[in-house]
Amino acid sequence: MEKTFLMVKPDGVQRNLIGEITSRFEKKGYKLAGAKLMVISNSLAEEHYGEHKDKPFFSELVEFITSGPVFAMVWEGENVIAGARQMMGATKPSDAAPGTIRGDFGVTVGKNVIHGSDSADSAKRELELFFNSEEILNYQKDN
Ligand code: CMP
C-alpha cells in the first residue's frame, strides 16, 4: 500500500493543530503507520529541503523548520500521496481553498502548517530520512 511522509510544522505544533490535522487524515480513512514529535537538526533540515538550497528563502526555511518540535508522520492508503496533497491545499495559504488544511489554518507561505511529500520518489526519500524501518508499523485496521 502507498505511504507518504507528512509533518505538522513548528507553527502547527505551537498552534495546537496536531489533533485537528491527524483527525482529518484519520476520518478520511488513511492509516497512521508511524508518528513522532521531534526537533529537526540543521543537517536533517538541509538534506530534507535540499532541492531548495539555491532559493533565496533557504536559510529562512531551515531556521524555521528547526525552530521547535515538528510532528512527523507516516500515513498509508490508496493514492495517499496525491490525496494528502489535496487535503493540505496549495503551498501558499492565500491560494489554498477553504476546507483544505492550509486554506483553513495557514497564513504565510513559510508558516504553512504542514509539509507533505509531493511524489512517490520524494515520499520514499523523506520516509527514509525521518523514520527507521522499525518505526513504521504494519498492522491490521478494518475501518
Ligand atoms: P513545503 O511543502 O514544506 O516545501 C518547501 C517549503 O518552502 C514550502 O512548504 C514553504 O513553506 C516554503 N516556501 C516556499 N516559498 C517560500 C518563500 N518565498 N519564503 C519562505 N518559505 C517559502
Side-chain angles (χ1 to χ4, degrees):
M1 188 56 80
E2 189 171 282
K3 290 185 180 64
T4 195
F5 172 69
L6 301 179
M7 163 170 78
V8 182
K9 295 187 179 185
D11 55 326
V13 174
Q14 288 294 322
R15 292 172 55 206
N16 301 314
L17 292 172
I18 293 174
E20 167 74 34
I21 289 170
T22 52
S23 177
R24 289 188 180 207
F25 293 111
E26 283 187 308
K27 286 176 185 160
K28 171 75 175 171
Y30 295 135
K31 183 163 107 179
L32 187 62
K36 56 185 170 186
L37 192 65
M38 62 184 283
V39 176
I40 299 181
S41 67
N42 257 58
S43 59
L44 177 57
E46 285 171 6
E47 198 165 353
H48 171 64
Y49 281 133
E51 68 182 289
H52 299 296
K53 68 176 185 303
D54 297 326
K55 306 260 174 68
F57 56 83
F58 182 66
S59 57
E60 187 188 321
L61 185 58
V62 169
E63 193 178 329
F64 172 61
I65 209 70
T66 57
S67 67
V70 300
F71 191 61
M73 300 170 282
V74 185
W75 285 91
E76 189 177 309
E78 198 175 317
N79 211 20
V80 68
I81 299 171
R85 298 272 302 174
Q86 278 186 339
M87 291 172 66
M88 286 162 44
T91 303
K92 210 170 157 187
S94 55
D95 293 338
T100 65
I101 293 166
R102 287 163 173 164
D104 289 349
F105 305 117
V107 181
T108 64
V109 70
K111 295 182 178 171
N112 62 354
V113 185
I114 186 168
H115 168 85
S117 307
D118 62 5
S119 66
D121 284 350
S122 64
K124 183 174 184 301
R125 190 180 76 84
E126 292 172 358
L127 287 171
E128 284 173 1
L129 268 179
F130 280 84
F131 286 90
N132 300 323
S133 55
E134 314 88 73
E135 294 173 320
I136 301 180
L137 308 187
N138 192 3
Y139 64 99
Q140 185 60 37
K141 190 161 167 284
D142 299 323
N143 49 32

